[in-house]
Amino acid sequence: MDLKKQNSIFVDEQMIDELSSKGIISKSAHDYALALLYPTQNLGLWVSRLLLILGLTLSLSGIIYFFAYNWTKISPSTKLYSIQASIFLCLISSYFYGLQKLSGKILLLSASVLVGVFLAVFGQIYQTGADNYNLFMVWSLLIFPLVILSNFIPLWLLWLSVSNIFLLFYWEQKVLPSHEVKTVIYSCLVIFNIIFLSLYELFTHRGVTWLQNQWTRILLILIILTFSLITPVNLLYRSETKYSVIFGTFFSIIIHIALYKIYRFKIPCVKVVTATLISSCILIEIVAIKIILFDFQRADAIRLLILAYLSIHLFRFLTKKLNIIIKKMSNSNV
Amino acid sequence: MFNFTNSINLQQLLHLWQKDGILNSSELEKTQSFIENQYQRKDIPLMYILIGLGAFITAFCLIAFLVITGIVNRSITGSFIWSFIFIALACFFHRKRNCKDQLYYNFSAQNTFYLMVAGKILFVIAFSEFFDGATNLNIAFAISIITVITYYIYELPLDRFLSLSAILFSIFFVIIEKNYGLLTDILINSFFFLQILVAALLLTKKKVKNAYIPLAYATVFSLCYIVYYFTTTSKIGYWNNTNIHNLIYIKAVLTTSLVSLIIFVAKKTVTKWKTEPIILACLSSILLGFISPPIVILAICFMILGYANHQKLLLTLGALLIPIFIYYYYYNLDVDLMTKSIILMSSGMLFIVGYFYMKVRKLDKEEIV
């Protein structure tokens, strides 16, 4: 086995146990390897972090329950001032700790969340009659400067979530789309999130250090794929198919092809290719069900058999293809 | 927080084994060739999602075809016959699957799984109808009988896990169906204690036969449900309601389990376990047993067990139980939020005190290997 391959294989307990059970390595080699993998000195650190996380989670939940119990008894001004004080405290503490430290970033994240809480409480106290999209729009605008300063992915993801929710509510409550074009928003959300994915890839390529982790890309891809599948799913629920749904389905197909091409050849990533292929299977199945079955309640038995036959071959073909792709990409150490 | 393993690749491990004289050169070569073969045949976990999705759609279409065409009819005898046909087909194809083609092997396994599920469901329906209706007792008997018959013939872990979980849940529902006062309490507590014993035995033993691993996890999920049930229907706040159960016994069992686990892990990982931190941990666990809801104690047991046995599933389950519990705790249990708040905050404070104790005593220092 060449060194490159040896470097790419990571050892785990299952592998060591299997080597030992087959008599390939001795018990002392087995124990030695496990001691390397799981050093006992980490136990103290693990326990202390477990205690901290459990303690904070239960204590904070208790505080929330306390406020919930006393909510009607607390005056509106106390409610607003206490939240404002919390935001201020988080911002000051974040400045004090500095944004280079994780604790500073988490405090900034907490402040951003509390901004949303403040707006919700404000809306509850002063019954302005404003639509939900207003809350998310203002929240998104207010925390944007903090997001830019933070260089912190969870805060960016919070901002992205709030913005997506704003766009959804805006479409439903302000634009008031007709039945014909109701699903167009999902294609818009796909484009919106692709812009951020592109920015992520651009800055990662330029070597921005705080972006260098794969799970952000995978999370963004999953969001894009989820939004791109919502419109095709409507094919199954509408007796007469709207043009917007057909357009959305074609758009979804293009997105899937584009993502596959980019993450297979340009920016190789096995997990993204796998997620895209799984999503493509779902998409193809939806289209197949729509074409073959037409109507669920009066499904013709032969059509079900045809669909079963097609599904077997489709999934077998895609699974084989994925297996080959993953092997090729693994050999290139992707 | 949960990533406490060192990341070592094969080349590093082989080099260390050789450097320290643990393995000689022929043993190293054998190890390399074995891992090379295993690694090439290793499945990518995400593939299972794809295969499972395809198998689900295929099986659904096939079974729907059989039902719509009336091939599978609804008489009791017909249901029994078709259930046995499905189960027999599942077992037959499972045995005949092509082990050389790994992909088709997995695809066949998934397809036979859905045949087996359809067969078992038909059997349970037929059995229940034969014995005057779908009562909890009939369902429990039916699932138990069919699981016992197929357990060693159809060896898919997922099927075993689901069948065993169904048995445990159905037995629990039989016990709580009618309230016989003290007898119901005795039955529930005995059932709970038995499951704790089974889980403890299977999860703490180093080598467990593959056939019993699904039983371990089925017991884990059953315990989660029972403790959740107790947490939401306990006697706190329901002092005059005789339908509700006492928490004392279950908390005592869980606290004892937690203390035993702490000692078990301490013996496994450190040379001297009768030290002040371990003793304090045991005493704190006993205090936790008094003030904390039982589901918190269970979650900690899972997390400790998951860490000790390097099982991410148990670790994750324990971590997930806490927020799920906090969410449902808000709405269930007829005591005011102030009481709930006090219970949560006292438990939380205990943990934070423990954290600061470890910090002050410098017991949390990580040494780099």
Side-chain angles (χ1 to χ4, degrees), chain B residues 33-156:
Chain B
S33 65
F34 177 84
I35 290 172
E36 190 174 15
N37 289 333
Q38 287 295 99
Y39 186 69
Q40 279 180 357
R41 281 212 301 270
K42 199 173 176 179
D43 284 332
I44 298 104
L46 286 172
M47 299 272 272
Y48 281 106
I49 300 173
L50 194 58
I51 292 166
L53 195 59
F56 174 73
I57 294 169
T58 312
F60 174 79
C61 291
L62 281 170
I63 291 165
F65 166 76
L66 291 169
V67 170
I68 286 169
T69 50
I71 295 171
V72 175
N73 59 42
R74 292 201 182 163
S75 69
I76 295 176
T77 316
S79 298
F80 268 125
I81 292 169
W82 277 104
S83 74
F84 287 130
I85 290 173
F86 280 146
I87 290 168
L89 280 173
C91 295
F92 175 76
F93 285 120
H94 188 70
R95 293 268 169 199
K96 287 285 176 195
R97 66 197 182 280
N98 183 356
C99 300
K100 286 182 186 170
D101 182 347
Q102 190 72 10
L103 283 173
Y104 194 66
Y105 171 94
N106 288 320
F107 195 72
S108 309
Q110 301 274 7
N111 266 312
T112 57
F113 169 67
Y114 289 109
L115 272 174
M116 179 59 75
V117 167
K120 284 186 176 177
I121 290 172
L122 274 173
F123 180 84
V124 169
I125 292 170
F127 188 96
S128 303
E129 283 182 10
F130 187 74
F131 288 103
D132 298 328
T135 62
N136 286 328
L137 192 63
N138 287 340
I139 292 170
F141 267 123
I143 297 172
S144 306
I145 290 167
I146 199 65
T147 304
V148 163
I149 293 170
T150 57
Y151 198 83
Y152 289 102
I153 304 170
Y154 187 73
E155 292 159 349
L156 198 68

Side-chain angles (χ1 to χ4, degrees), chain B residues 51 69 75 163 186 278 324-325 349:
Chain B
I51 292 166
T69 50
S75 69
S163 300
I186 291 171
I278 305 296
I324 292 170
F325 150 72
M349 282 298 125

Side-chain angles (χ1 to χ4, degrees), chain B residues 215-369:
Chain B
L215 176 60
Y217 286 104
T219 317
V220 162
F221 280 97
S222 174
L223 284 170
C224 291
Y225 183 75
I226 294 175
V227 173
Y228 165 75
Y229 170 80
F230 269 99
T231 307
T232 54
T233 58
S234 79
K235 265 192 176 157
I236 300 174
Y238 283 105
W239 303 109
N240 297 321
N241 191 334
T242 55
N243 282 330
I244 303 303
H245 311 284
N246 208 319
L247 276 179
I248 295 173
Y249 178 79
I250 202 169
K251 281 174 104 171
V253 170
L254 284 171
T255 307
T256 313
S257 308
L258 181 57
V259 171
S260 311
L261 262 176
I262 290 170
I263 297 170
F264 168 74
V265 172
K267 276 186 175 179
K268 203 175 158 184
T269 49
V270 294
T271 42
K272 275 191 203 170
W273 65 272
K274 284 184 190 173
T275 53
E276 184 193 313
I278 305 296
I279 292 169
L280 270 175
C282 294
L283 289 171
S284 308
S285 304
I286 294 168
L287 185 59
L288 196 69
F290 282 108
I291 57 174
S292 194
I295 207 161
V296 172
I297 307 170
L298 185 68
I300 296 168
C301 287
F302 287 152
M303 284 197 264
I304 292 175
L305 206 49
Y307 177 79
N309 291 343
H310 319 301
Q311 288 171 341
K312 281 187 183 170
L313 180 63
L314 279 178
L315 208 51
T316 313
L317 181 65
L320 283 176
L321 274 178
I322 303 280
I324 292 170
F325 150 72
I326 287 170
Y327 176 79
Y328 283 107
Y329 196 52
Y330 190 90
Y331 295 106
N332 290 319
L333 206 63
D334 195 18
V335 289
D336 57 27
L337 288 171
M338 183 61 106
T339 310
K340 291 181 189 177
S341 167
I342 292 168
I343 292 170
L344 287 173
M345 283 204 279
S346 358
S347 311
M349 282 298 125
L350 187 64
F351 289 121
I352 291 173
V353 164
Y355 166 75
F356 280 111
Y357 167 78
M358 292 195 72
K359 257 238 163 331
V360 162
R361 291 291 306 270
K362 293 187 176 38
L363 295 169
D364 59 339
K365 290 298 168 203
E366 181 182 8
E367 289 182 27
I368 298 162
V369 175

Side-chain angles (χ1 to χ4, degrees), chain B residues 12-51:
Chain B
Q12 287 170 314
L13 180 61
L14 292 173
H15 170 72
L16 284 165
W17 267 335
Q18 191 172 33
K19 188 181 124 196
D20 291 344
I22 308 278
L23 292 182
N24 57 40
S25 44
S26 67
E27 281 167 330
L28 281 171
E29 270 176 38
K30 256 196 217 173
T31 308
Q32 274 184 39
S33 65
F34 177 84
I35 290 172
E36 190 174 15
N37 289 333
Q38 287 295 99
Y39 186 69
Q40 279 180 357
R41 281 212 301 270
K42 199 173 176 179
D43 284 332
I44 298 104
L46 286 172
M47 299 272 272
Y48 281 106
I49 300 173
L50 194 58
I51 292 166

Side-chain angles (χ1 to χ4, degrees), chain A residues 6-7 9 11 13 18 29 32 36-40 42 44-46 48 61-62 65 68 285 301 312 315 319, chain B residues 4-6 8-11 17 20 38 50 58 65 69 103 206 269 310 326 330 341 355 363-364 366 369:
Chain A
Q6 283 185 19
N7 277 334
I9 300 172
V11 176
E13 186 178 1
E18 209 170 336
Y32 181 92
L36 281 176
L37 277 175
Y38 306 112
T40 60
N42 285 344
L45 186 61
W46 183 83
S48 81
S61 307
Y65 279 41
E285 276 296 321
I312 291 172
F315 279 90
T319 314
Chain B
F4 282 85
T5 67
N6 281 328
I8 300 172
N9 61 39
L10 181 62
Q11 202 243 330
W17 267 335
D20 291 344
Q38 287 295 99
L50 194 58
T58 312
F65 166 76
T69 50
L103 283 173
K206 187 72 182 171
T269 49
H310 319 301
I326 287 170
Y330 190 90
S341 167
Y355 166 75
L363 295 169
D364 59 339
E366 181 182 8
V369 175

Side-chain angles (χ1 to χ4, degrees), chain A residues 68-102:
Chain A
Y69 177 77
N70 291 300
W71 194 246
T72 48
K73 297 171 198 166
I74 302 172
S75 68
S77 53
T78 310
K79 288 177 192 173
L80 292 173
Y81 287 139
S82 60
I83 300 172
Q84 283 176 325
S86 307
I87 295 171
F88 188 66
L89 202 66
C90 285
L91 289 172
I92 294 292
S93 307
S94 172
Y95 176 76
F96 177 72
Y97 278 102
L99 288 176
Q100 315 316 321
K101 281 189 179 172
L102 181 64

Side-chain angles (χ1 to χ4, degrees), chain A residues 192-204:
Chain A
F192 177 72
N193 287 288
I194 281 178
I195 293 170
F196 285 94
L197 179 66
S198 312
L199 287 170
Y200 166 82
E201 297 295 356
L202 175 68
F203 287 112
T204 308

